[in-house]
């Protein structure tokens, strides 16, 4: 029988609900492929409904697989200066965040991570904390914070705070006291040393923000150490009093109902007490300084001891610790979970943010390595320090399609996911064009090689009105022109928008057990353009096919590697622009497209 005739007949039989009987008679691989493809078409044509956004079950406690809430959760990072401005002063605030909780609930978010909202001189926009146990008036009051937590609770949205563990502001009372005299009770809370000689710092370490790592303080004639800006002196975690004070800070916030912390810059917590010079290696950094192997001031083994202590307090409150863990390989990442799983539950896999472009082979290899490591992965594609994923991956033509691919990738993998505000609407970077427009000191210092991080921190685009509905006042950073097309109000009504895709995807992620608990099986491994995998849980399975290339790709429904010899395929979500039509033995994947389906035996 000719293929198209066979296909037509099969389609009719499918419609009559006779699929199974028919299938038993048809055994060749080609026939199975046609069946699967037909089912795909039928599913797409019927516009198979997936559950409505926000209908996802909120996992509580530990499930049958022993998974805790955070393993099923989707986290959403909020840069509070830029999310929603309730008092129209051009800077976002806590009341603004509270006013958007319904939006986040509808989107399918389970927890928000708020970057530092504590009192701060704002040299590093909050990452220079001058009081760990209060709210910066710019963002509101402690009552506003408590209300945010309470309103979040009503919606099953947990609140995660950002804990800047490595350093304080130079305006923190501890540092003010510490620098006041060599005999201050707080002197040893920071890292003070004599210079090597007149005008010579204690060693060759450098600040990652482009300055020296040591600042001379004439009052006491010594240098203090800072891995970041001079206004961010490093705490001395070797001092038990520092450790105790920091653990107490976490208790303070747990009592205010926070569900955990994102721990800032944990790699830099400890330094070699002998201050050994770092080896200089080939090349120059983005500030034009010699590159260094930072082996004596980063990732020291003592970091793990501190993580364990923070974890034991977190465990007292049933809370979760997320780490800003910059690693170059999966082994390093593995270390942060702790040898006995007693450190961070969620060390972020930030490695994917360093991938250049879209490469199915690169993702395949990385995902395999992460899964093989045996821990619960934590995927991130962008944040407030990294050029937005929309800009990083976009080719200028298929940007929305590519944004959907990236969403489909990390939100269907086995693991927890951390989104960044605005990613769900396809927000792009809005980089400063002139040095005088730069707000981030890193950009001021490094211009033009390092332009800073303003571009990825611009106001959330709520609608297409002036200031994108973020504020009635001029926002602290400018809104890009793309806010006219990429904003919540318009995208929510457009079924093909990036936002609509995210909402459907997140709803699916919360309800499909295979996506929550399933294993990961990679398929079509030799294909350099298309990433294909199945997530399987007991009898259920979800197939994900991502065409990461600018050309159409034909993908066989060959799922035997995942144990499906005769799969029945039901389309759940695609990003296709045209409906699937015709007879085919292989799935025609549009350029840069997503295909997600349920497969059953
Ligand atoms: C982390 C933060 C970054 C900040 C730095 C210093 O890397 O994500 O924004 O500038 O720590 O606190």
């Amino acid at each position: 029988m000719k293929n198209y005739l066979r296909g037509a007949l099969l389609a009719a039989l499918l419609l009559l609900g006779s699929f199974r009987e028919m299938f038993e008679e048809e055994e060749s691989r080609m026939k199975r492929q046609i069946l699967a493809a037909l089912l795909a078409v039928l599913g797409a044509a019927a516009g198979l409904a997936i559950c409505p956004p926000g209908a996802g079950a909120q996992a509580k406690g530990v499930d049958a697989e022993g998974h805790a809430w955070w393993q099923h959760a989707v986290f959403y990072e909020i840069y509070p200066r830029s999310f929603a401005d309730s008092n129209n002063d051009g800077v976002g605030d806590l009341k603004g965040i509270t006013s958007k909780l319904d939006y986040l609930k509808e989107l399918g978010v389970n927890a928000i991570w708020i970057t530092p909202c504590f009192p701060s001189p704002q040299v590093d926009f909050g990452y220079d904390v001058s009081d760990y146990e209060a709210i910066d008036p710019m963002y509101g009051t402690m009552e506003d914070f408590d209300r945010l937590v309470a309103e979040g609770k009503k919606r099953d949205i947990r609140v995660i705070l950002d804990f800047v563990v490595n350093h304080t502001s130079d305006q923190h009372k501890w540092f003010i006291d510490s620098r006041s005299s060599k005999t201050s009770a707080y002197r040893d809370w920071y890292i003070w040393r004599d210079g090597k000689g007149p005008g010579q710092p204690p060693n060759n370490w450098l600040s990652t923000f482009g300055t020296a790592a040591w600042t001379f303080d004439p009052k006491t004639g010594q240098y203090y150490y800072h891995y970041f800006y001079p206004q961010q002196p490093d705490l001395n975690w070797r001092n038990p009093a520092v450790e105790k004070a920091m653990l107490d800070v976490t208790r303070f916030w747990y009592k205010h109902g926070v569900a955990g912390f994102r721990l800032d810059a944990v790699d830099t917590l400890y330094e070699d007490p002998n201050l050994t010079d770092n080896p200089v290696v080939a090349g120059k950094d983005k500030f034009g300084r010699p590159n260094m192997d930072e082996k004596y001031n980063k990732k020291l083994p003592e970091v793990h001891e501190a993580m364990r202590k923070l974890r034991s307090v977190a465990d007292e409150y049933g809370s979760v610790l997320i780490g800003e863990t910059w690693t170059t390989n999966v082994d390093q990442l593995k270390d942060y979970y702790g040898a006995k799983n007693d450190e961070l539950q969620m060390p972020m896999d930030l490695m994917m943010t360093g991938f250049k472009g879209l490469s199915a082979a690169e993702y395949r290899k990385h995902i395999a390595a992460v899964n093989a490591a045996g821990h619960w992965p934590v995927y991130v594609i962008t944040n407030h320090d990294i050029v937005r994923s929309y800009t990083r991956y976009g080719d200028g033509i298929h940007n929305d399609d590519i944004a959907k691919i990236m969403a489909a990738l990390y939100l269907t993998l086995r693991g927890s996911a951390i989104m960044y505000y605005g990613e769900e609407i396809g927000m792009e970077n809005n980089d400063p064009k002139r040095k005088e427009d730069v707000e981030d000191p890193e950009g001021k210092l490094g211009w033009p090689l390092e332009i800073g991080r303003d571009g990825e921190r611009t106001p959330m685009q709520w609608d297409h009105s002036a200031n994108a509905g973020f504020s009635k006042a001029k926002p602290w950073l400018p809104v890009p022109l793309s806010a006219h097309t990429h904003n919540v109000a318009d995208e929510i009504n457009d079924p093909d928008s990036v936002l609509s895709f995210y909402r459907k995807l997140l709803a699916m992620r919360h309800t499909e057990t295979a996506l929550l608990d399933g294993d990961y099986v990679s398929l079509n491994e030799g294909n350099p353009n298309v990433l294909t995998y199945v997530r399987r849980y007991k009898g259920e399975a979800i197939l994900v096919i991502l065409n990461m290339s600018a050309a159409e790709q034909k993908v066989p429904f060959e799922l035997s590697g995942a144990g499906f010899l005769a799969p029945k395929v039901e389309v759940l979500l695609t990003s296709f622009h045209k409906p699937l039509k015709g007879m085919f033995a292989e799935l025609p994947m549009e350029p840069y497209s997503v295909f997600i389906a349920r497969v059953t035996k």
Side-chain angles (χ1 to χ4, degrees):
M1 201 188 299
K2 287 218 162 68
N3 274 352
Y4 71 90
L5 283 176
R6 188 189 309 276
L9 176 59
L10 290 174
L13 285 167
L14 285 170
L15 286 168
L16 290 169
S18 310
F19 169 79
R20 285 197 183 281
E21 293 82 342
M22 182 64 197
F23 192 77
E24 273 153 23
E25 292 166 32
E26 305 284 346
E27 291 212 71
S28 76
R29 186 173 144 210
M30 177 63 88
K31 286 169 195 159
R32 286 200 302 274
Q33 287 170 350
I34 295 166
L35 275 169
L38 275 164
L39 274 164
V41 177
L42 290 170
L48 279 170
I50 56 170
C51 75
Q58 174 86 19
K60 289 209 171 73
V62 172
D63 72 2
E65 298 306 304
H67 288 155
W69 70 269
W70 51 268
Q71 291 179 284
H72 288 168
V74 173
F75 293 73
Y76 184 96
E77 179 189 353
I78 291 179
Y79 201 68
R81 292 181 72 89
S82 299
F83 195 59
D85 179 12
S86 75
N87 61 352
N88 293 306
D89 61 358
V91 176
D93 45 52
L94 295 184
K95 280 188 176 152
I97 299 175
T98 306
S99 73
K100 300 297 182 186
L101 287 173
D102 285 335
Y103 164 76
L104 295 170
K105 174 76 184 163
E106 283 280 297
L107 178 60
V109 164
N110 310 108
I112 52 175
W113 145 31
I114 306 173
T115 66
C117 53
F118 317 107
S120 160
Q122 302 288 321
V123 171
D124 192 13
F125 298 115
Y127 283 95
D128 47 324
V129 178
S130 53
D131 182 352
Y132 286 107
E133 297 183 355
I135 296 294
D136 194 302
M138 173 198 300
Y139 295 125
T141 62
M142 195 57 107
E143 288 70 44
D144 294 336
F145 180 79
D146 290 339
R147 189 169 155 259
L148 169 60
V149 172
E151 290 298 316
K153 201 168 179 195
K154 286 185 195 160
R155 295 164 179 83
D156 276 334
I157 296 179
R158 291 165 163 93
V159 176
I160 304 288
L161 284 180
D162 204 319
F163 190 22
V164 187
V165 279
N166 176 69
H167 49 269
T168 67
S169 159
D170 64 348
Q171 299 307 307
H172 195 292
K173 63 182 183 201
W174 299 339
F175 189 73
I176 292 173
D177 200 307
S178 181
R179 83 188 314 177
S180 66
S181 119
K182 276 185 166 178
T183 56
S184 151
Y186 288 91
R187 186 65 169 181
D188 192 40
W189 282 46
Y190 296 85
I191 298 163
W192 291 96
R193 291 289 192 286
D194 292 329
K196 269 186 183 160
Q200 284 182 288
N203 68 10
N204 73 349
W205 299 349
L206 295 172
S207 153
T208 193
F209 283 153
T211 66
W214 295 96
T215 291
F216 184 70
D217 199 40
K219 177 132 201 255
T220 54
Q222 283 194 311
Y223 288 82
Y224 67 89
Y225 172 69
H226 49 89
Y227 186 75
F228 297 96
Y229 298 124
Q231 295 88 339
Q232 295 169 297
D234 270 49
L235 282 161
N236 175 17
W237 271 79
R238 294 183 191 278
N239 180 341
V242 168
E243 186 187 284
K244 179 178 180 310
M246 295 301 267
L247 296 180
D248 284 347
V249 169
T250 67
R251 289 191 180 94
F252 174 87
W253 288 109
Y254 291 139
K255 287 179 189 148
H256 276 269
V258 313
F261 290 95
R262 175 263 190 186
L263 303 178
D264 183 64
V266 294
D267 301 334
T268 57
L269 221 48
Y270 281 83
E271 300 75 30
D272 170 30
N274 300 323
L275 304 188
T276 311
D277 275 350
N278 279 328
V280 174
V281 296
K284 294 250 160 63
D285 70 10
K286 57 193 177 184
F287 301 99
R289 308 169 303 179
N291 277 333
M292 298 219 172
D293 172 5
E294 298 179 302
K295 62 192 284 192
Y296 293 110
N297 58 343
K298 257 180 138 175
K299 292 196 176 58
L300 265 60
E302 292 89 328
V303 170
H304 297 286
E305 187 54 36
M307 296 300 103
R308 281 192 285 277
K309 292 201 170 132
L310 285 159
R311 172 66 181 275
S312 76
V313 180
D315 283 347
E316 286 169 28
Y317 294 86
S319 296
V320 66
L321 295 179
I322 306 172
E324 189 203 12
T325 38
W326 286 101
T327 59
T328 46
N329 57 54
V330 174
D331 279 344
Q332 280 179 2
L333 187 62
K334 214 171 153 178
D335 287 347
Y336 276 114
Y337 290 90
K340 295 185 186 148
N341 274 329
D342 51 358
E343 298 186 25
L344 306 176
Q345 294 104 319
M346 293 179 56
M348 287 186 223
D349 174 356
L350 291 163
M351 288 174 275
M352 266 179 19
T353 66
F355 292 2
K356 306 269 177 277
L358 289 182
S359 155
E362 194 172 21
Y363 285 111
R364 189 179 291 128
K365 189 167 163 218
H366 182 70
I367 296 161
V370 170
N371 278 322
H375 289 283
W376 191 254
V378 181
Y379 291 107
V380 179
I381 58 171
T382 195
N383 70 25
H384 65 285
D385 294 326
I386 305 168
V387 172
R388 282 186 176 274
S389 54
Y390 192 86
T391 304
R392 263 194 357 259
Y393 296 107
D395 66 350
I397 302 167
H398 304 93
N399 287 19
D400 282 9
D401 294 325
I402 293 172
K404 292 173 189 174
I405 293 183
M406 291 312 295
L409 172 64
Y410 87 112
L411 292 168
T412 63
L413 289 176
R414 181 184 152 272
S416 303
I418 307 181
M419 298 173 57
Y420 183 47
Y421 81 95
E423 175 191 307
E424 74 277 18
I425 53 171
M427 259 175 78
E428 64 177 1
N429 253 58
N430 189 26
D431 293 323
K433 309 284 174 300
R434 307 174 308 173
K435 186 176 177 186
E436 53 269 39
D437 297 332
V438 177
E439 292 283 347
D440 182 7
E442 192 187 16
K444 290 185 179 164
L445 217 58
W447 190 272
L449 287 181
E450 169 55 68
I451 63 171
R453 299 161 292 179
D454 295 348
E456 53 263 32
R457 298 172 174 181
T458 58
M460 176 68 177
Q461 296 162 194
W462 294 105
D463 59 39
H464 59 242
S465 68
N467 307 329
F470 161 75
S471 174
K472 293 200 172 75
K474 186 172 178 244
W476 76 287
L477 285 175
V479 166
L481 279 178
S482 61
H484 288 289
T485 51
H486 289 74
N487 62 71
V488 172
D490 291 334
E491 288 190 46
I492 223 154
N493 295 317
D494 172 1
D496 294 328
S497 66
V498 177
L499 179 58
S500 294
F501 188 85
Y502 262 91
R503 283 163 53 107
K504 291 175 206 159
L505 183 65
L506 287 171
M508 189 194 310
R509 180 190 160 100
H510 288 310
T511 47
E512 292 295 337
T513 322
L515 292 181
L516 293 169
D517 290 326
D519 64 2
Y520 165 91
V521 186
S522 171
L523 295 170
N524 297 340
E525 293 235 287
N527 192 320
N529 300 307
V530 181
L531 190 68
T532 305
Y533 51 89
V534 174
R535 298 285 315 282
R536 295 180 312 187
Y537 182 74
K538 299 194 172 152
E540 297 171 32
I542 300 288
L543 166 69
V544 180
I545 306 181
L546 306 173
N547 179 4
M548 297 190 157
S549 78
E552 182 181 292
Q553 303 288 336
K554 296 269 197 310
V555 181
F557 280 100
E558 174 45 61
L559 311 182
S560 55
F564 292 89
L565 295 176
K568 185 178 165 197
V569 179
E570 175 196 348
V571 182
L572 296 180
L573 180 63
T574 81
S575 65
F576 295 161
H577 295 277
K578 293 187 210 122
L580 281 170
K581 267 199 290 204
M583 304 297 160
F584 43 79
E586 296 178 314
L587 176 68
M589 289 287 295
E590 290 181 9
Y592 293 121
S593 64
V594 174
F595 176 90
I596 303 177
R598 186 193 316 287
V599 284
T600 39
K601 287 188 178 165

